[in-house]
Amino acid sequence: MKLILPRVSICRMCKWILLILIGFLFVYPFIKLVFLSFQTKQGIGLANYLEIFRDPMTWSTVKNSILVTVNSSILAIVFGGFLAWVCAYTDVRLKNWMQVFVFVPYVIPSYVMTIAWTQFIGPAGLINRWASTMAGHKMIIWDVYGLNGMVLLLALTNYPLVFLITRSVLYRIPRDLELAAKIAGARNIHVFRKIILPMALPGLAGGGLLAFISSLDNFGIPSFLGIPKGISVLSTFIYEQVVGYNSNNFAKAAVLSIILGIIALLGTAVQWFLVRNSKTDQTFSEDRSIRFSFGKYRLIIEIGIWLFFLVTSVFPLLAMIQTALIKAYGLPFTLKNLTWSNFTFILQNNDASQNAIKNSLMLACATALLCVLIGTVFAYWRVKKPTLLAKAMEWAITLPYAIPGMVLSLSLILTWSEPISGWKPGIYGTTWMIFIAYMTRFLVLQIRTSSASILQVGEEVEEAASIHGGRWLTRWKKILVPLYSPGIVTGACLVFLTSLSELTVSSLLWSAGNETIGVVIFNFEQEGSTTYSTAFSTLIVLAILVFIVTGSLVKKFWIRRVKL
């Protein structure tokens, strides 16, 4: 009797293997997290949820989280929306430089900016010391520690997201609509309220949602400004539960992570509600012409904007550098108190900081390299074969980036400590654990930028090369890679910088000998070693600026070479 085997193509088998692999790496950890939240000593039940909901600390933490994220998102929308309108519509000068300064608080890690702000206007900061000297007694004008400081710093960190999306939307609002309204007798304020604001709402709401999610996810700012004052938000509360190393604390942390995820989903629902009737189908080309003139008030507006940049970015960073250069925290900034020893300690005399630099560089390089390879291949397949399976895989890969980093960290701890019952691979507490976390979280950044680059190159380019005899390898080497490279390199730089300075995910996954830069700066600050934390942060800011300038020059050179 002849046995008939089912015919399964190698291609289809590869797709199923890929789907299972993506499901295991990107979705399974969250399923395990949800399962743990219901797991008790007696079996499956709601005991963990009941215990968490009966704890007054839970409600206080949830209230703080909502208060901080909502207020900081509103403030980010105000800052980002106004600056986007100014740069897109008005006649202010030096717009390119303004846009550079807008992104300073975004490219510099939020915990570094927080340290800078504590040195600028903390209790012993530059402003309050100056005020005390002038008053002749101790005087505090404002203290950045606490809820108000958290709201302000989160808003300043996230308003570039609102700016970026809103400016793009404003460029595409048809000028003809505004001209028609003005011809019909509408004043500028009515044009803004009836036409510009409703049509810009998708950008404001989209940017506001990103600011909301980013604020909810942020660990550095609440830990630096909230923990010293005894104020918890969900991200820091989950961290405190996990580092308690009690088995029941993991279940509590899982429940808190579910609550955090639900708040993030509610934020998404509010954003959908706000833009559901907005005119999002405008597909006009960008119009970058000046549409509004400040007239005689232009100079005043320009001075106000540059003062905003100086106060929010430049002065805090200068205050941080000043602290990094003094011999001991609290000494006056005079010539006899200056020293390089804090930088020497970081670079030569401290094992933890040296390990952190080595680990972070290694992790950032490895993550960027692997993301380039996997992300670009996936993006190419996703663009060329937009099937339902490809969309499902992309959704799964996006999931770890869309949810708060603290939730991802806890999910990975639960998964990789024992992925399958009885199998313990032993990577929990190693650098491999952090590497897997970075890969799952940041792969989508590379896919997005590579996809945008691939979409800009028409099908006819590859078809022409194929007709003229170009083989697969030749087409990629001679044509596609040079054309795709600007987007691929941009994505790689984004992944590298984000991995290099990451703190939220690393704070739960690190162990002795596997520290990252963010973790060591966090530990210095928690120990009260402010001169070391500011010195290390100053080095990070300098490294990021050098990297960005070098990357921009290399990108310009490469684009010019491709055009030639």
Side-chain angles (χ1 to χ4, degrees):
M1 182 178 177
K2 190 177 180 181
L3 181 64
I4 301 175
L5 296 174
R7 293 183 177 178
V8 181
S9 70
I10 295 176
C11 184
R12 179 172 295 184
M13 189 181 295
C14 289
K15 285 180 182 176
W16 277 107
I17 292 172
L18 185 62
L19 184 63
I20 293 169
L21 193 62
I22 288 176
F24 177 76
L25 289 173
F26 295 90
V27 181
Y28 176 63
F30 302 108
I31 296 174
K32 197 155 184 174
L33 179 73
V34 174
F35 178 74
L36 179 69
S37 70
F38 290 101
Q39 195 174 31
T40 66
K41 292 178 180 177
Q42 291 75 34
I44 302 299
L46 296 173
N48 295 328
Y49 284 87
L50 294 174
E51 186 180 347
I52 285 289
F53 289 143
R54 285 174 187 150
D55 185 357
M57 187 66 188
T58 302
W59 297 108
S60 168
T61 304
V62 170
K63 179 185 170 187
N64 289 339
S65 299
I66 294 174
L67 188 70
V68 167
T69 50
V70 170
N71 286 334
S72 65
S73 301
I74 292 171
L75 209 53
I77 289 172
V78 173
F79 291 157
F82 175 73
L83 287 171
W85 177 76
V86 166
C87 289
Y89 273 30
T90 69
D91 60 344
V92 294
R93 292 162 288 191
L94 301 175
K95 287 182 183 178
N96 289 337
W97 280 106
M98 284 183 182
Q99 292 173 50
V100 169
F101 275 86
V102 164
F103 288 102
V104 167
Y106 187 69
V107 296
I108 295 176
S110 62
Y111 56 85
V112 171
M113 286 306 297
T114 308
I115 291 174
W117 268 83
T118 58
Q119 302 312 307
F120 181 51
I121 198 163
L126 190 67
I127 295 294
N128 287 321
R129 284 208 312 271
W130 173 79
S132 299
T133 303
M134 296 299 289
H137 58 84
K138 188 172 177 58
M139 182 176 179
I140 295 179
I141 296 177
W142 188 63
D143 184 2
V144 73
Y145 288 95
L147 284 175
N148 291 335
M150 290 159 64
V151 169
L152 178 64
L153 265 292
L154 285 169
L156 291 177
T157 299
N158 295 321
Y159 85 84
L161 297 170
V162 182
F163 171 88
L164 191 65
I165 298 176
T166 307
R167 185 191 57 173
S168 174
V169 172
L170 287 171
Y171 279 143
R172 293 181 183 280
I173 295 177
R175 189 187 180 96
D176 294 345
L177 291 177
E178 298 174 40
L179 293 175
K182 287 179 180 177
I183 291 171
R187 299 171 62 186
N188 283 332
I189 186 66
H190 292 134
V191 172
F192 180 81
R193 194 161 57 88
K194 296 290 185 183
I195 297 176
I196 297 174
L197 189 58
M199 297 188 75
L201 191 58
L204 290 169
L209 173 66
L210 288 179
F212 179 85
I213 299 292
S214 181
S215 298
L216 203 61
D217 172 52
N218 196 292
F219 173 72
I221 293 174
S223 62
F224 281 35
L225 301 183
I227 290 177
K229 289 278 186 180
I231 299 172
S232 291
V233 295
L234 279 168
S235 60
T236 56
F237 196 38
I238 292 170
Y239 171 79
E240 289 166 350
Q241 295 293 323
V242 173
V243 297
Y245 294 111
N246 184 315
S247 58
N248 194 39
N249 281 6
F250 272 72
K252 288 182 181 176
V255 175
L256 291 168
S257 299
I258 301 295
I259 296 173
L260 190 60
I262 290 172
I263 293 175
L265 289 175
L266 286 175
T268 308
V270 170
Q271 187 253 359
W272 170 83
F273 178 78
L274 288 174
V275 303
R276 69 192 193 287
N277 293 324
S278 299
K279 297 176 181 178
T280 57
D281 58 345
Q282 301 295 339
T283 55
F284 297 91
S285 58
E286 288 190 352
D287 179 359
R288 301 196 176 206
S289 60
I290 294 172
R291 306 191 193 190
F292 182 84
S293 173
F294 284 116
K296 60 182 180 181
Y297 299 107
R298 184 172 70 170
L299 184 60
I300 297 173
I301 297 294
E302 289 172 344
I303 291 173
I305 291 172
W306 283 109
L307 275 176
F308 174 79
F309 291 139
L310 287 174
V311 171
T312 57
S313 297
V314 179
F315 290 163
L317 290 174
L318 290 177
M320 180 180 76
I321 295 170
Q322 176 186 313
T323 305
L325 287 170
I326 59 174
K327 292 177 180 174
Y329 189 59
L331 289 176
F333 189 72
T334 57
L335 197 58
K336 67 177 183 181
N337 292 329
L338 298 186
T339 180
W340 292 105
S341 63
N342 298 322
F343 295 97
T344 307
F345 176 81
I346 296 297
L347 294 174
Q348 296 181 358
N349 302 330
N350 184 259
D351 291 339
S353 57
Q354 291 176 56
N355 279 336
I357 294 171
K358 185 180 68 177
N359 290 335
S360 290
L361 280 173
M362 184 180 66
L363 285 165
C365 289
T367 306
L369 183 62
L370 208 57
C371 281
V372 164
L373 294 174
I374 298 174
T376 303
V377 171
F378 182 86
Y380 183 82
W381 176 62
R382 170 73 180 85
V383 171
K384 303 298 179 185
K385 303 282 184 185
T387 61
L388 190 62
L389 179 67
K391 289 179 182 176
M393 289 184 185
E394 187 180 15
W395 177 85
I397 293 171
T398 306
L399 186 61
Y401 193 75
I403 65 164
M406 201 58 71
V407 179
L408 173 67
S409 303
L410 185 59
S411 306
L412 292 176
I413 290 173
L414 298 173
T415 301
W416 287 97
S417 56
E418 191 174 352
I420 302 170
S421 182
W423 179 48
K424 296 182 180 180
I427 65 169
Y428 173 56
T430 67
T431 311
W432 284 104
M433 186 77 249
I434 303 175
F435 175 65
I436 290 171
Y438 286 2
M439 272 299 300
T440 52
R441 188 157 173 83
F442 302 134
L443 179 60
V444 68
L445 297 177
Q446 185 66 56
I447 291 175
R448 291 280 189 267
T449 51
S450 293
S451 296
S453 190
I454 292 167
L455 283 168
Q456 289 175 356
V457 180
E459 290 277 351
E460 62 277 7
V461 175
E462 195 171 351
E463 289 172 1
S466 182
I467 290 170
H468 285 82
R471 295 187 175 181
W472 181 84
L473 186 60
T474 306
R475 293 201 301 270
W476 272 88
K477 185 178 176 183
K478 298 287 185 182
I479 299 173
L480 297 181
V481 169
L483 292 174
Y484 294 162
S485 56
I488 294 173
V489 172
T490 301
C493 292
L494 188 60
V495 172
F496 179 84
L497 279 179
T498 310
S499 305
L500 187 70
S501 57
E502 205 282 332
L503 172 62
T504 306
V505 172
S506 311
S507 64
L508 282 185
L509 301 178
W510 75 281
S511 60
N514 299 312
E515 303 93 340
T516 61
I517 289 172
V519 168
V520 171
I521 292 177
F522 175 71
N523 289 340
F524 277 144
E525 195 66 14
Q526 294 297 304
E527 295 166 0
S529 304
T530 306
T531 51
Y532 296 147
S533 67
T534 52
F536 208 170
S537 299
T538 301
L539 291 172
I540 296 305
V541 171
L542 291 175
I544 289 173
L545 292 179
V546 169
F547 182 83
I548 290 174
V549 172
T550 307
S552 300
L553 292 175
V554 170
K555 187 176 178 181
K556 278 186 180 178
F557 170 77
W558 183 260
I559 291 174
R560 190 177 299 171
R561 186 183 169 192
V562 169
K563 285 181 178 177
L564 289 175

